[in-house]
Amino acid sequence: EDKVVQSPLSLVVHEGDTVTLNCSYEVTNFRSLLWYKQEKKAPTFLFMLTSSGIEKKSGRLSSILDKKELSSILNITATQTGDSAIYLCAVGGNYGQNFVFGPGTRLSVLP
Amino acid sequence: EAGVAQSPRYKIIEKRQSVAFWCNPISGHATLYWYQQILGQGPKLLIQFQNNGVVDDSQLPKDRFSAERLKGVDSTLKIQPAKLEDSAVYLCASRAGTRAIRGQYFGPGTRLTVL
């Protein structure tokens, strides 16, 4: 059975701190790994990582895929209160590209 | 471009009642997903459509849940009869295709409360 694990499940930091969120997976025929940010509403897309694109960066956020270790990290530097959200990791396997989501990491950034 | 539309946004019903949710994906998106997200958990795939065909419904509780995507555009998800444990947010997502570079776009979700 495909499985995605995230750690930590919850994290509290202060503005300006740097955080690293972890995602590990066991899926059949890995195709892609996606990171989403979920505030009060639906998840919004952050990054997609594949075998041909194992590192992505956008502003203060960056992510790396380690296919050997079957894991990914999401880094957020100089955190702001607006970064407070649940960060979801989803992994796509098999041809149909259905995605298995992890439980998410709840990040709280205090002023 | 217009996003994924869902309705209703909120629904409160009593157990054993029926409920239906509607989703209209982004125009031209061939792949449509329904997810169930229980509070404190990540979304769980219920069903995936490719155009109007079902790709994966292995986690859909078929004794009470049904979904259809007639004409390969909008979709409905039905629960009949509802149980207390069905209380969750039901998310619809669409994607241009299985090899699209951005993954899914999510709708705002329908929050279902079963009393």
Side-chain angles (χ1 to χ4, degrees), chain B residues 34 44-47 56-67 77-78:
Chain B
W34 282 103
K44 184 184 88 171
L45 179 70
L46 292 175
I47 190 167
D56 185 348
D57 63 356
S58 58
Q59 297 192 89
L60 186 73
K62 298 181 185 65
D63 57 333
R64 298 185 300 107
F65 286 65
S66 64
L77 176 70
K78 296 179 182 178

Side-chain angles (χ1 to χ4, degrees), chain A residues 31-32 34 36 38 40-45 48 88 95-104, chain B residues 33 35 37 40-43 45 48 55-56 91 95 98-104 106-108:
Chain A
R31 291 295 184 119
S32 59
L34 290 81
Y36 288 88
Q38 186 174 30
K40 292 186 177 179
K41 298 181 180 178
T44 54
F45 174 82
M48 182 175 187
L88 295 166
Y95 177 75
Q97 281 279 281
N98 54 318
F99 291 93
V100 178
F101 279 79
Chain B
Y33 308 82
Y35 290 92
Q37 187 173 25
Q41 300 180 18
L45 179 70
Q48 177 188 349
V55 174
D56 185 348
L91 294 166
R95 191 175 187 206
T98 55
R99 292 188 170 86
I101 62 172
R102 268 190 57 111
Q104 312 107 312
F106 282 87

